[in-house]
């Protein structure tokens, strides 16, 4: 049976975070996330209600955030890329929490068509994807949902992108790196909500630890 994915949004933009900052990208936002981050800026993707299912054209034409989603196959998604005239060859699969489902079939189809794939995940679900897919783990520690960070996710990550606002967040990250034996991976600190105090803390900590800064460029320049 062909897998259908619950898609909340599908759009072309510039990646504003992490290693691919500045890369033209197609964002594929999946519906559903039980992690419960208090600062989440996509809370409309948390719940999966069958009453919120819409057809693909309604989903594509959304002009505001909503919890409406469309069930699409990988072939449906590729057809939308072509109809929309998307030029980007990098696909960012995000959410919600995309790793609630097996993304291997989806990424396999995309890669066969010449796309590169990137997954952005909280690290609280097993990551099922292709070998070549770039995995960004943004570990969410002690969130309302009660999910634990998985060693398998931290080990699979190509980059760690950690949201920070306080010293406790820095301590949490350092403990994660030790507990899950993470070495030789790019570490990005991302200030929560672009607040000045968080940004200064991230800059200071990056310099002290030879880590990298991710400042959500898309929010500063006003694009999606």
């Amino acid at each position: 049976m062909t897998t259908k994915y619950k898609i909340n949004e599908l759009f072309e933009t510039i990646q504003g975070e992490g290693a691919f900052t500045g890369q033209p990208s197609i964002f594929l936002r999946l519906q559903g996330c039980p992690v419960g981050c208090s600062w989440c800026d996509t809370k409309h993707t948390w719940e999966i209600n069958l009453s919120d299912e819409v057809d693909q054209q309604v989903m594509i034409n959304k002009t505001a955030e909503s919890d409406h989603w469309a069930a699409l196959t990988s072939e449906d998604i590729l057809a939308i890329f072509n109809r929309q005239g998307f030029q980007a060859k990098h696909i960012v699969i995000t959410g919600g929490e995309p790793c609630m489902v097996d993304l291997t079939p989806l990424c396999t189809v995309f890669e066969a068509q010449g796309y590169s794939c990137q997954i952005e995940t909280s690290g609280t679900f097993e990551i099922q994807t292709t070998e070549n897919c770039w995995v960004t783990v943004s570990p969410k520690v002690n969130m309302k949902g009660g999910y634990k960070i998985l060693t398998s996710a931290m080990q699979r990550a190509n980059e760690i992108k950690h949201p920070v606002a306080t010293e406790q967040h820095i301590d949490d990250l350092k403990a994660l790196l030790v507990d899950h034996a993470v070495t030789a991976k790019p570490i990005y600190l991302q200030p929560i909500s672009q607040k000045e105090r968080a940004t200064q803390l991230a800059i200071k900590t990056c310099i002290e630890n030879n880590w990298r800064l991710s400042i959500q460029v898309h929010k500063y320049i006003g694009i999606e």
Side-chain angles (χ1 to χ4, degrees):
M1 186 175 71
T2 302
T3 302
K4 288 192 173 184
Y5 299 88
K6 296 176 175 63
I7 309 300
N8 180 282
E9 287 185 284
L10 197 168
F11 58 94
E12 188 176 45
T13 187
I14 298 291
Q15 169 64 287
E17 301 178 2
F20 288 93
T21 295
Q23 175 80 41
S25 302
I26 300 168
F27 272 69
L28 194 63
R29 189 178 303 284
L30 274 63
Q31 189 75 16
C33 183
V35 178
C37 305
S38 60
W39 63 81
C40 177
D41 56 6
T42 57
K43 291 182 179 180
H44 58 285
T45 66
W46 285 10
E47 302 297 328
I48 298 176
N49 297 310
L50 295 181
S51 60
D52 291 325
E53 183 176 2
V54 296
D55 66 41
Q56 61 176 268
Q57 202 57 47
V58 172
M59 182 273 294
I60 294 166
N61 291 336
K62 285 197 295 185
T63 58
E65 293 180 350
S66 78
D67 48 10
H68 293 140
W69 52 270
L72 305 177
T73 66
S74 53
E75 288 74 18
D76 293 332
I77 296 167
L78 285 172
I80 292 172
F81 292 174
N82 292 328
R83 287 201 305 274
Q84 297 294 107
F86 291 159
Q87 298 299 304
K89 300 299 288 185
H90 183 68
I91 299 173
V92 181
I93 304 170
T94 184
E97 173 46 71
C99 291
M100 290 172 64
V101 299
D102 183 357
L103 297 170
T104 308
L106 187 63
C107 291
T108 298
V109 169
F110 289 161
E111 289 172 1
Q113 295 298 314
Y115 292 93
S116 59
C117 294
Q118 177 184 4
I119 294 170
E120 297 193 350
T121 175
S122 64
T124 57
F125 286 81
E126 294 291 346
I127 299 169
Q128 303 175 80
T129 189
T130 55
E131 182 180 352
N132 291 328
C133 180
W134 181 275
V135 175
T136 301
V137 172
S138 182
K140 302 303 190 295
V141 182
N142 297 327
M143 295 296 132
K144 184 172 66 173
Y147 289 83
K148 301 298 184 183
I149 307 300
L150 303 180
T151 296
S152 61
M154 294 292 285
Q155 291 291 330
R156 174 61 180 84
N158 296 99
E159 63 176 342
I160 308 293
K161 178 163 60 69
H162 193 62
V164 297
T166 67
E167 291 284 357
Q168 183 60 54
H169 295 141
I170 305 299
D171 293 342
D172 290 342
L173 174 58
K174 290 180 176 179
L176 281 176
L177 297 177
V178 172
D179 293 345
H180 299 288
V182 175
T183 58
K185 293 182 187 290
I187 308 294
Y188 287 84
L189 297 186
Q190 186 160 288
I192 295 174
S193 301
Q194 300 84 50
K195 293 182 179 178
E196 182 177 356
R197 180 173 177 273
T199 301
Q200 292 305 314
L201 173 62
I203 292 170
K204 172 178 174 289
T205 308
C206 284
I207 292 171
E208 289 174 349
N209 294 275
N210 200 27
W211 292 343
R212 305 177 188 185
L213 184 69
S214 174
I215 59 168
Q216 295 184 290
V217 169
H218 56 292
K219 293 186 177 180
Y220 281 97
I221 63 178
I223 61 174
E224 190 170 10

